[in-house]
Amino acid sequence: MRFASLGSGSEGNGLVVEAGGTCVLIDCGFGVRDTVARLLRLGLAPESVAAILVTHEHSDHIGGVPAVARKYGIPVWATFGTLVAVSARFEGMSRIYGFDSHDAFAIGDLEIRPVAVPHDAREPVQYVIGDGAVRLGVLTDLGVITAHVESSMSGCDALVLECNHDLGMLERGSYPYPLKQRIAGRLGHLHNEAAAGLVARIDTARLKHLVAAHLSQENNTPELARAALAEALGCATDWIGIASQDEGFGWRQL
Ligand SMILES: [Zn+2]
Ligand SMILES: [Zn+2]
């Protein structure tokens, strides 16, 4: 199995996972031309994407989904709650599949396990994706870590984990107070220490990749995110990957 990021952050998200002959795209927050360019960077043609898995209806995750799916005839999977929230934008599209956030399903060679998360959307999920041998946990856009999230991410072989903000930088920063409250709230985004706390509590014996994702360009730095996760894992800071807004990250192999 291998995985890579098209880009990560409030300006747009996309992550590809490939195993056997199956490649899926988790979220697509970029326009058609931008998405195609970012896929090409990874050596992928849009036609090779078997499905787009949506996490939730915020535009940095779903913004490009209708146009890309329509143009290349890609099936889209989203929770029933997300589909209710975006029914107008998905109107007239044929291959749209709903699922309950508690139910696992398969796409080709990949086993897709949704993980319900606390976030200010209708029925938001994140994903654990496996091929029968290894598992990748993708976890961004959640305000707090629940027991369910913790047990779902435990024992994974790779983790892409939200390090949205540094609490001190957010508090001192220029965002208006209501926005600060939203980001730091229980339905907002994970700060570095919360992400580090998860890493310290779960089983990381099999962990081969840990990538910090969805970093705020305003309220965080790659150095702070790396330092927090490295301390929790007891590894060197340069072992921690960063999913950046412009570049995402290149293929990582499991
Ligand atoms: Zn987001
Ligand atoms: Zn969101």
Side-chain angles (χ1 to χ4, degrees), residues 71-234:
K71 174 142 188 164
Y72 297 101
I74 305 171
V76 176
W77 292 74
T79 65
F80 294 117
T82 300
L83 290 180
V84 168
V86 298
S87 57
R89 276 186 281 173
F90 280 14
E91 218 168 58
M93 291 171 66
S94 52
R95 293 200 290 166
I96 304 293
Y97 302 100
F99 61 87
D100 184 282
S101 52
H102 299 86
D103 295 337
F105 53 94
I107 293 176
D109 292 319
L110 295 173
E111 180 200 307
I112 317 292
R113 196 147 67 87
V115 180
V117 290
H119 190 55
D120 50 3
R122 182 72 181 255
E123 191 186 357
V125 290
Q126 294 295 314
Y127 293 102
V128 173
I129 298 194
D131 67 349
V134 292
R135 283 186 300 148
L136 162 70
V138 178
L139 183 68
T140 70
D141 296 73
L142 72 168
V144 290
I145 288 159
T146 62
H148 175 60
V149 165
E150 204 168 302
S151 64
S152 302
M153 297 299 151
S154 199
C156 282
D157 298 84
L159 278 179
V160 176
L161 175 57
E162 169 160 60
C163 285
N164 180 261
H165 56 281
D166 171 77
L167 256 186
M169 282 183 77
L170 180 68
E171 275 164 16
R172 292 188 302 272
S174 63
Y175 280 15
Y177 184 64
L179 182 56
K180 289 184 181 183
Q181 276 186 308
R182 191 231 138 204
I183 292 169
R186 293 185 62 80
L187 299 177
H189 290 275
L190 277 194
H191 57 77
N192 295 342
E193 298 311 317
L198 173 72
V199 169
R201 290 192 302 276
I202 60 174
D203 171 11
T204 53
R206 293 172 58 103
L207 198 65
K208 308 225 170 29
H209 301 276
L210 178 56
V211 183
H214 216 298
L215 272 71
S216 165
Q217 305 199 36
E218 191 69 38
N219 302 308
N220 208 356
T221 66
E223 292 72 30
L224 286 171
R226 275 204 177 98
L229 295 186
E231 194 190 335
L233 198 58

Side-chain angles (χ1 to χ4, degrees), residues 9-13 27 55-56 58-61 119 126 140-141 162 164 182 189 214:
S10 58
E11 303 290 305
N13 293 274
D27 289 333
T55 59
H56 63 297
H58 291 159
S59 58
D60 55 324
H61 299 266
H119 190 55
Q126 294 295 314
T140 70
D141 296 73
E162 169 160 60
N164 180 261
R182 191 231 138 204
H189 290 275
H214 216 298

